[in-house]
Amino acid sequence: VGILMGFTNWCYSLEDCFKSLHEIALYVEEDRKFRGKLEREKEEEKEALVLEKGHIPEIVFRDVTFRYEGAKEPVIKHLSLTMKPGENLALVGLNGAGKTTFIKLLCGFYDPTEGEILVDGVNRSRYTKESWIRCFSGVFQETGLFPLTLRENLMPEGKEDSRRVKECLELADLKEKLEKLPEGLDTLFGAGVLEGAADFSGGEVQKLMLARALYKQAPFLVLDEPTAALDPLAESELYEKYYRLSKEKTTVFISHRLASTRFCDRILLLENGKVTESGTHRELMEKQGSYAAMYRLQSKYYQQAEAGLEGDMEL
């Protein structure tokens, strides 16, 4: 019986390994196709987008629809909106509403199935994807750091600005962590992969990715659930610190925690690929629509959790 149970467990482990290998293969294939598109664009001799220093272009989504290959229904449906230069924009909504797909369209990973995306009044298809992607820095749900030194991870292009590095690390709440590392920025990242590498928690890795995104001097900053490993209080504090450094950028936030997006200039509620509500936090709360209902539900949950914690402490 023991041998049969051990063999069964081994079969389950082998099945999990094949599933993981299949997922990785799909990811590699998608990456290969995307890079292939970039190479073809070079052959098409499209114009490279060059922005003047300090200039933040206006982005307009004009009746944009996007459908994944093989899908029957579009994820984004006839979306029209204008992103003003220097605006702090928040995208909220339930899972599957189209938030991440919108970000991929914005960053140039995907092109609209219908409609167009304008950059200062010019169709984005006029420019190469490579030049457009360089206008963005971001932290996404599924990203990581390389098994190199922290310096190489934070400054992949090798151009070091010591003052800005310290500012970004402090903003990401990593100053004390780095002060405890004997090698500082020369500390290796990748515990379990490299000998002598430092160990970082999930929250600390997300903070490092935030620091890296902030260090890049790009006019657009995208944060797609970058603080999922942090508790709500730590997330709110981090966003407030980061907000001071992002004033000269157009920023887009995605977060399921509605309280963390209250400081944004405008909040968009996506439902079934469409913007159903738009406005500031106060305006949407006064509207008493879906956003207000979601916010009250989340607030009630956190209040109950806090009350339960206080009760446990009294016991």
Side-chain angles (χ1 to χ4, degrees):
V1 172
I3 292 174
L4 288 175
M5 291 180 65
F7 179 74
T8 301
N9 291 333
W10 178 81
C11 289
Y12 283 135
S13 299
L14 186 63
E15 182 183 8
D16 290 338
C17 288
F18 277 116
K19 287 181 179 179
S20 299
L21 184 62
H22 178 65
E23 291 176 358
I24 294 172
L26 291 176
Y27 175 81
V28 171
E29 178 64 15
E30 184 178 354
D31 182 71
R32 185 189 64 79
K33 289 180 179 179
F34 178 72
R35 292 180 181 275
K37 289 180 180 179
L38 293 182
E39 293 298 326
R40 287 195 294 273
E41 280 201 353
K42 291 179 181 178
E43 296 176 355
E44 293 172 4
E45 297 182 353
K46 287 188 176 182
E47 180 182 344
L49 176 63
V50 180
L51 299 176
E52 296 182 3
K53 187 176 181 180
H55 175 66
I56 304 174
E58 179 185 74
I59 300 178
V60 177
F61 278 62
R62 181 180 293 174
D63 197 28
V64 170
T65 296
F66 178 79
R67 180 187 295 103
Y68 285 100
E69 185 177 350
K72 295 181 180 180
E73 295 293 328
V75 180
I76 301 295
K77 305 171 184 177
H78 303 288
L79 178 65
S80 296
L81 65 90
T82 299
M83 297 176 60
K84 301 175 183 178
E87 182 179 24
N88 284 297
L89 190 69
L91 294 177
V92 299
L94 300 176
N95 289 332
K99 302 186 298 296
T100 299
T101 301
F102 172 85
I103 292 299
K104 291 180 178 180
L105 284 167
L106 173 66
C107 294
F109 300 150
Y110 296 144
D111 291 320
T113 305
E114 300 175 15
E116 57 183 356
I117 300 175
L118 305 178
V119 183
D120 282 339
V122 179
N123 195 314
R124 192 183 65 187
S125 61
R126 173 178 171 179
Y127 306 113
T128 62
K129 282 185 179 295
E130 184 178 4
S131 64
W132 177 242
I133 290 174
R134 286 186 176 275
C135 296
F136 288 84
S137 61
V139 180
F140 302 97
Q141 295 181 40
E142 299 179 2
T143 54
L145 299 170
F146 299 102
L148 303 168
T149 66
L150 295 180
R151 187 186 306 277
E152 291 169 317
N153 273 290
L154 293 172
M155 297 160 281
E157 295 184 357
K159 300 177 182 179
E160 182 174 353
D161 183 340
S162 300
R163 182 192 60 80
R164 183 165 178 80
V165 169
K166 293 180 180 179
E167 187 177 25
C168 292
L169 290 172
E170 185 175 354
L171 186 67
D173 199 21
L174 283 170
K175 184 179 180 180
E176 293 184 4
K177 173 70 175 180
L178 288 177
E179 288 176 349
K180 296 178 181 178
L181 299 175
E183 302 297 328
L185 287 175
D186 293 319
T187 300
L188 290 172
F189 177 84
V193 178
L194 297 177
E195 184 177 354
D199 190 20
F200 290 83
S201 67
E204 290 171 340
V205 171
Q206 286 189 317
K207 289 179 180 180
L208 281 169
M209 291 190 292
L210 275 171
R212 181 176 65 181
L214 293 172
Y215 180 79
K216 182 180 178 182
Q217 297 284 6
F220 298 100
L221 181 61
V222 177
L223 301 178
D224 185 0
E225 294 285 354
T227 53
L230 303 179
D231 59 78
L233 181 59
E235 179 188 48
S236 179
E237 292 176 351
L238 185 60
Y239 275 153
E240 287 176 3
K241 289 181 180 179
Y242 140 82
Y243 176 65
R244 293 195 294 269
L245 192 63
S246 63
K247 289 184 177 180
E248 297 180 357
K249 303 175 184 290
T250 297
T251 55
V252 182
F253 300 86
I254 292 182
S255 178
H256 285 97
R257 297 168 182 164
L258 304 186
S260 64
T261 60
R262 292 172 60 180
F263 66 87
C264 292
D265 300 320
R266 186 161 48 123
I267 300 173
L268 303 179
L269 175 63
L270 266 67
E271 294 179 307
N272 298 320
K274 297 181 179 180
V275 176
T276 56
E277 296 182 21
S278 175
T280 64
H281 172 75
R282 176 176 294 181
E283 290 171 348
L284 295 181
M285 291 300 293
E286 292 176 351
K287 188 177 180 180
Q288 296 296 315
S290 298
Y291 175 87
M294 292 170 61
Y295 184 83
R296 285 195 298 268
L297 182 62
Q298 285 194 1
S299 299
K300 181 179 179 181
Y301 170 78
Y302 289 131
Q303 289 171 0
Q304 289 176 346
E306 184 178 352
L309 178 60
E310 291 177 354
D312 293 340
M313 291 177 65
E314 290 177 0
L315 291 174

